[in-house]
Amino acid sequence: MALALTDDAGRYGATEQISDDQLMLAYRRGDKRAFDALYTKYKSPLHGYLYRHCNSETQTAELFQDVWVRVIASSSRFEGSGRFRSWIFTLAHNCLVDFHRKNEKQQLHTTYEESAGGNGPDDEAGESELRSALDRSLRRLPLDQRQAFCLREEQGFSIKEIAVIQNVTAEAAKSRLRYTYKKLKASMGGQRS
Amino acid sequence: MKANDRNNWLQEDHDLADEFQDVASAWQKEKQKVPNLQGVLDRKIRKFAYAHIEDDLQHHWLFGQSPRLATAATLFFAIGVYFVFSLPEEGRALEPTRKVDSSIERRQSVTRLANQREADLNLAREVWEKERWEQTQKATASGWVKLSLIVSDQGNIEKIDVVESCAKRNGHCEEDSDLNTYAIDVVKRKSYKPGVHEELILSNRQGQPN
């Protein structure tokens, strides 16, 4: 995972590759552009990941902000051992766990069904139904399984990396993934039939 | 991670992807539904990030524009605490001064003792010399009188006592008033410093004052 160094105008250009870790260390030393580069790179993946686990955009925005505040506040403790990507998603994972503990009574995945009914008018009816079924099935699963699935399918993490982020063994991570896939596959089959 | 272990897990990843390829494909379409991030939030986070490093550098104890007094005071306090607690239990901060003081005192005491001892030795040597001289004189003389006298501050002899007297006759000591009178006359003719003195007056001939 790498980004480019600055060009003549001071922006991070395409002349030489530098890693996320180097960017984070540069930010620690006071380089705002390094933070910009990291933020630009990770804002969409992180936002998408958090959105999958929340009811609304407001909650997602709240969590998103919380994660970045943690990233910024913990920047002085970041050691740069080549794992920035895992590190930031670990922070996101922890934020989600904290958030869901606080809102346990609200049962986010059930209320989601009420709020996530509407899809784009341009979507074809079949695809829309399939996506809704998948989405609904995913949101009914426990948080750790949903997280494992999103980390793999949306962020491209391996089983081992997911295990590190969720602080479990690789076997446990694999088991979670397999269970999630099977559940989703079953819900797809039910929808199609 | 061992290479074998890593390869195993890579294989596991591939197997999982192959097995659930249909789920993954369906999900890829779902990803499009994520709404865009609010621009306000974007700016807010960037602003916070910039402020954080500016604040960090501003208050950096060494590189900050104005290292605050509190930081300096804390630093000095910490050094002080470290210094105190790094000393042995007894005496704490006073220990070094006490060590120096006691060393000086010990040295002065030794010097004092040495001087005293030397003075005592000198006195003992003087007494011994005097006694030895007296013994020698007594052994060779035919008679002798030992007198004790008190001399006033003006140098006048105020009192003379005969401490011991010996007039040798047939190898034995006897008291001889003439010899004593002679000794007292000899002493009276001499001058002495103020104080108490002892004087030994000898006679060379048998029964006759010297």
Side-chain angles (χ1 to χ4, degrees):
Chain A
M1 187 61 56
L3 273 185
L5 273 176
T6 54
D7 59 13
D8 293 340
R11 294 185 300 267
Y12 282 91
T15 51
E16 193 179 335
Q17 296 290 302
I18 60 171
S19 68
D20 295 343
D21 287 15
Q22 286 174 303
L23 286 172
M24 191 60 180
L25 294 173
Y27 168 65
R28 270 175 55 173
R29 290 192 297 270
D31 189 345
K32 294 175 185 175
R33 289 167 302 145
F35 180 81
D36 280 342
L38 278 174
Y39 182 73
T40 306
K41 182 178 178 184
Y42 283 99
K43 68 174 181 178
S44 291
L46 206 57
H47 184 251
Y49 173 69
L50 294 170
Y51 182 75
R52 300 290 176 213
H53 300 87
C54 295
N55 275 340
S56 63
E57 285 183 47
T58 313
Q59 283 183 345
T60 308
E62 193 183 319
L63 271 173
F64 183 77
Q65 185 175 313
D66 196 15
V67 173
W68 281 105
V69 165
R70 287 195 195 189
V71 169
I72 292 160
S74 318
S75 58
S76 57
R77 293 197 298 273
F78 181 72
E79 291 170 357
S81 52
R83 305 243 166 110
F84 177 81
R85 188 162 162 267
S86 294
W87 182 67
I88 196 170
F89 275 93
T90 304
L91 290 180
H93 165 81
N94 295 337
C95 279
L96 275 171
V97 170
D98 292 346
F99 179 78
H100 280 252
R101 273 184 194 148
K102 274 188 216 166
N103 297 280
E104 240 172 3
K105 289 176 185 174
Q106 295 176 16
Q107 294 293 318
L108 300 177
H109 61 277
T110 54
T111 50
Y112 168 78
E113 288 177 48
E114 296 164 13
S115 64
N119 291 308
D122 298 333
D123 292 336
E124 288 178 26
E127 280 183 358
S128 175
E129 279 175 9
L130 186 62
R131 283 204 295 270
S132 298
L134 260 184
D135 204 40
R136 277 200 298 272
S137 301
L138 183 68
R139 283 171 189 272
R140 283 194 196 102
L141 294 173
L143 177 67
D144 50 3
Q145 291 173 15
R146 257 186 291 161
Q147 284 182 321
F149 178 80
C150 291
L151 287 170
R152 184 174 172 84
E153 285 303 327
E154 297 201 335
Q155 312 305 330
F157 282 107
S158 67
I159 295 171
K160 290 283 268 187
E161 287 172 323
I162 292 167
V164 171
I165 290 168
Q166 294 195 319
N167 196 26
V168 292
T169 62
E171 287 295 342
K174 183 187 160 192
S175 170
R176 281 177 185 177
L177 281 167
R178 182 170 284 280
Y179 181 84
T180 311
Y181 277 121
K182 279 185 176 175
K183 278 275 184 184
L184 294 176
K185 195 167 186 171
S187 72
M188 279 166 63
Q191 187 69 27
R192 278 173 178 151
S193 64
Chain B
M1 196 197 307
K2 290 177 184 174
N4 195 26
D5 186 35
R6 189 166 54 239
N7 289 339
N8 283 345
W9 280 107
L10 275 173
Q11 189 58 45
E12 293 281 356
D13 274 319
H14 287 306
D15 291 348
L16 202 65
D18 290 344
E19 190 177 348
F20 299 104
Q21 200 172 359
D22 49 347
V23 180
S25 303
W27 185 255
Q28 290 310 309
K29 295 171 185 175
E30 179 70 16
K31 284 172 69 176
Q32 306 301 317
K33 286 178 67 179
V34 177
N36 288 330
L37 188 65
Q38 299 164 10
V40 179
L41 188 61
D42 218 22
R43 285 192 294 278
K44 203 170 161 185
I45 289 167
R46 285 178 200 268
K47 198 173 170 184
F48 177 70
Y50 299 162
H52 183 78
I53 50 170
E54 278 166 5
D55 195 50
D56 269 7
L57 291 177
Q58 188 80 23
H59 295 120
H60 194 281
W61 70 275
L62 185 60
F63 301 115
Q65 287 177 357
S66 54
R68 290 173 300 176
L69 182 64
T71 311
T74 308
L75 194 65
F76 281 117
F77 178 74
I79 292 168
V81 168
Y82 173 76
F83 178 72
V84 167
F85 282 95
S86 65
L87 289 171
E89 196 67 29
E90 285 183 16
R92 294 284 186 205
L94 295 174
E95 193 64 14
T97 317
R98 280 185 58 185
K99 274 183 184 168
V100 172
D101 287 350
S102 89
S103 173
I104 291 169
E105 277 172 14
R106 216 165 28 243
R107 193 176 295 174
Q108 285 174 341
S109 167
V110 168
T111 310
R112 222 170 17 245
L113 279 173
N115 290 340
Q116 182 71 39
R117 196 170 176 183
E118 197 176 339
D120 289 349
L121 280 172
N122 286 338
L123 186 66
R125 197 181 293 119
E126 279 174 17
V127 170
W128 182 76
E129 288 284 347
K130 192 176 177 184
E131 283 179 353
R132 200 175 66 148
W133 182 82
E134 284 179 1
Q135 291 297 326
T136 310
Q137 294 300 315
K138 283 177 185 174
T140 54
S142 56
W144 46 269
V145 179
K146 191 173 184 178
L147 303 166
S148 169
L149 55 146
I150 298 170
V151 182
S152 71
D153 291 341
Q154 288 75 33
N156 301 323
I157 296 173
E158 291 181 345
K159 189 181 177 187
I160 300 174
D161 288 326
V162 175
V163 179
E164 213 176 343
S165 174
C166 174
K168 285 186 180 173
R169 288 198 179 91
N170 303 321
H172 298 286
C173 274
E174 288 179 6
E175 187 80 23
D176 188 330
S177 58
D178 291 340
L179 183 60
N180 291 350
T181 307
Y182 165 76
I184 290 168
D185 286 341
V186 170
V187 165
K188 279 181 177 174
R189 285 197 296 271
K190 292 169 79 174
S191 60
Y192 294 92
K193 289 179 181 177
V196 180
H197 297 272
E198 280 191 344
E199 191 71 69
L200 186 68
I201 304 297
L202 301 173
S203 166
N204 288 329
R205 287 178 295 171
Q206 186 98 10
Q208 294 296 316
N210 195 3

